[in-house]
Amino acid sequence: MSDSSRNAQKVIVIGAGLAGLCCARSLQRAGFNAHVFEQSDRVGGRVATDFVDGFRLDRGFQVLFTAYPAVKQELDLAALDLKVFDPGMVVFIKGEPYPLYDPFRQPLRAISSLRSPLLSYSDNVALFKFRQLVMRLDIEDIFLLPDVSAKDYLLDFGLSRSALDDVVVPISSGIFLHRRMDVGIRNFAMVYKMMAEGSAAVPAAGMGAIPEQIAASIEEGTIHLNSSVTKLIKEGDRVIGVELENGDYALADFVVVAASADVAALLTGLNLPQEKRSAACLYIEIPKPFTSSKSIMLFQEPNKYATSNTLVNNAVIISNVAPSYAESGRHLLSATSIGDPQASRDRLLELAQREIGGHFKDSRSDEWELVHVYRIPWAQFAQPAGISSRLPKVETGIPGLILSGEIVTNSSIQGALQAGQKAANAVFYATGMKRRPVRR
């Protein structure tokens, strides 16, 4: 195929999340006529930031791992002005705080972690060996590990059951949104490696700055907001375009579906994994920081100060990490609950006051004010052991139709960006172009 005929190829991308934006930009840079159709009024999908009453609120607590390979390839990290969390975390068990430090980054502080009653000598040895393993492996090799549960793998690796429950499960629950650590070792090991190799951070302008940065490098007029696709148009077996909710239609040589799994399944008819993980994120204005820490706080279940089931899984004073999230002189606490709590806003605030504020005598929790609650039914898709073999391929087998979005990789920023790269590569291959390297 000649360059001129390739440049005439039109591609429609459904969804302006990270995967769709990354795919469209790659295609345009290669000379394709790529257009993005997004049902909402903004880009980013679940990665978004709102401005509410003088605060920057991410739509759900999210962090950017700077070690993600696709992040290094696709983003200008310096321009994002990243604000970095302190390495390590603080786990609260039965009302007591137990700091967990990275001995490779905070060797002096880590002495207290090594002496922690949560971890025996053999537990520290097992975690050290596991760290050495994941640091030695490329991400591609990590996804060749046995597709078993992270729990079983770590227990077989020599970690004690108590260390698993007291240390690893609270960390995992904040990442994979499951209190019982129902996650496969491949995805767990990937995140563990990213935590060891890089930093967790947020952009000064909020997580929404990430998709906005990508969108800014996409050709003007090719991202169509408030444009909901309701149907794929076919000619015989081939997908040749899309029909929009307003009755309009657009034709293309290829259609890339980069929507969430539930929407993608409805549009394509494909059988896609749709077990989801839900979360609720509370943003609370506090009168003053009750800790100067920039570390994430994890609350083991049951919480000493909970009235019944524990609501808060993890929390952080996000304005300690990124002062730009709050107006000068104001302070913002982010608290995350796993699942879909049905309590009212007032009740959620009351529970957070008890479960977080109870651990700090100077919290002044009775003065806390709820700024906003985000209830996120589809925060990520479930990633238990065995999920890798059930994930769909980018090439659907349907002529003209390519699948993207995190459902073809893993539920993470890395997975979304990588999915966009893979979808663009599928178009390149179908039109006779050389595929570009994609790292997990």
Side-chain angles (χ1 to χ4, degrees):
M1 179 177 290
S2 69
D3 288 341
S4 59
S5 59
R6 181 181 299 127
N7 291 349
Q9 297 276 298
K10 183 174 181 179
V11 183
I12 289 173
V13 180
I14 302 174
L18 293 180
L21 294 173
C22 179
C23 176
R25 182 173 67 177
S26 296
L27 291 170
Q28 289 182 356
R29 287 176 172 175
F32 287 84
N33 180 12
H35 285 251
V36 182
F37 289 84
E38 165 59 41
Q39 66 175 352
S40 72
D41 61 357
R42 56 168 183 80
V43 300
R46 297 195 305 274
V47 184
T49 303
D50 296 317
F51 296 89
V52 179
D53 189 26
F55 295 102
R56 282 188 168 93
L57 309 182
D58 296 327
R59 294 192 183 180
F61 177 66
Q62 305 170 56
V63 301
L64 176 67
F65 289 121
T66 59
Y68 278 147
V71 162
K72 296 176 182 178
Q73 294 170 337
E74 300 293 340
L75 301 178
D76 181 348
L77 295 181
L80 289 174
D81 188 17
L82 296 179
K83 305 303 177 183
V84 178
F85 291 77
D86 286 342
M89 301 178 182
V90 180
V91 182
F92 288 86
I93 301 176
K94 297 179 180 178
E96 296 297 321
Y98 295 91
L100 299 174
Y101 299 110
D102 185 341
F104 294 88
R105 298 188 189 186
Q106 300 165 296
L108 295 179
R109 286 187 170 186
I111 293 173
S112 63
S113 296
L114 296 175
R115 294 173 177 171
S116 169
L118 303 183
L119 297 169
S120 67
Y121 174 79
S122 60
D123 290 326
N124 280 302
V125 170
L127 288 174
F128 174 79
K129 288 183 177 179
F130 182 69
R131 186 185 192 279
Q132 294 302 99
L133 171 67
V134 299
M135 293 293 281
R136 203 167 55 239
L137 297 175
D138 289 335
I139 294 185
E140 289 84 354
D141 295 325
I142 283 177
F143 278 84
L144 297 177
L145 290 171
D147 199 0
V148 299
S149 78
K151 271 187 174 181
D152 291 342
Y153 190 93
L154 291 172
L155 289 172
D156 289 343
F157 215 80
L159 196 66
S160 69
R161 172 65 68 173
S162 61
L164 184 78
D165 291 341
D166 291 342
V167 177
V168 180
V169 169
I171 294 172
S172 172
S173 62
I175 298 168
F176 297 103
L177 302 180
H178 194 275
R179 283 279 192 183
R180 300 291 176 261
M181 197 176 170
D182 185 17
V183 61
I185 188 59
R186 295 176 176 179
N187 285 296
F188 178 84
M190 179 195 72
V191 173
Y192 196 91
K193 178 181 177 69
M194 296 300 99
M195 292 170 64
E197 287 188 348
S199 300
V202 292
M207 291 294 287
I210 297 172
E212 289 170 3
Q213 183 185 90
I214 301 175
S217 59
I218 291 177
E219 294 173 15
E220 186 176 354
T222 60
I223 297 177
H224 308 276
L225 302 177
N226 300 305
S227 300
S228 180
V229 173
T230 57
K231 183 180 178 181
L232 302 181
I233 300 174
K234 285 189 172 183
E235 186 174 78
D237 292 332
R238 186 176 185 87
V239 173
I240 61 167
V242 299
E243 185 175 316
L244 303 177
E245 190 174 43
N246 64 4
D248 290 344
Y249 66 91
L251 302 180
D253 298 284
F254 297 93
V255 173
V256 176
V257 178
S260 60
D262 53 341
V263 174
L266 286 173
L267 286 173
T268 65
L270 297 172
N271 183 20
L272 305 177
Q274 293 188 53
E275 184 183 355
K276 63 186 178 182
R277 298 285 188 245
S278 303
C281 183
L282 287 66
Y283 285 102
I284 301 166
E285 182 174 9
I286 57 177
K288 70 171 187 176
F290 47 81
T291 173
S292 60
S293 173
K294 298 180 182 179
S295 295
I296 295 170
M297 299 173 282
L298 303 168
F299 299 89
Q300 191 197 49
E301 196 175 28
N303 186 309
K304 177 182 177 179
Y305 298 96
T307 54
S308 55
N309 294 332
T310 300
L311 172 78
V312 178
N313 181 79
N314 53 277
V316 65
I317 301 179
I318 193 66
S319 54
N320 282 358
V321 181
S324 52
Y325 272 51
E327 290 179 339
S328 178
R330 301 176 75 183
H331 311 283
L332 184 66
L333 172 69
S334 168
T336 298
S337 173
I338 294 174
D340 185 16
Q342 298 301 305
S344 67
R345 286 170 51 93
D346 289 344
R347 179 58 174 163
L348 290 175
L349 175 60
E350 178 187 343
L351 294 173
Q353 288 170 319
R354 288 174 178 268
E355 296 182 18
I356 304 172
H359 291 88
F360 299 91
K361 63 180 182 180
D362 297 325
S363 68
R364 294 166 57 184
S365 59
D366 59 323
E367 299 176 43
W368 292 6
E369 294 186 11
L370 187 62
V371 178
H372 195 71
V373 177
Y374 289 101
R375 301 176 188 268
I376 310 165
W378 189 290
Q380 57 181 250
F381 70 87
Q383 300 173 91
I387 189 65
S388 296
S389 62
R390 294 165 43 212
L391 296 182
K393 296 187 180 300
V394 174
E395 294 90 351
T396 64
I398 301 172
L401 179 63
I402 292 166
L403 190 63
S404 189
E406 62 181 15
I407 195 63
V408 303
T409 49
N410 58 77
S411 199
S412 67
I413 289 176
Q414 163 69 18
L417 294 173
Q418 182 197 1
Q421 294 172 334
K422 289 168 72 76
N425 265 347
V427 175
F428 297 157
Y429 180 75
T431 56
M433 288 182 67
K434 184 179 179 180
R435 291 178 185 256
R436 299 182 179 183
V438 175
R439 296 184 62 195
R440 281 187 178 271

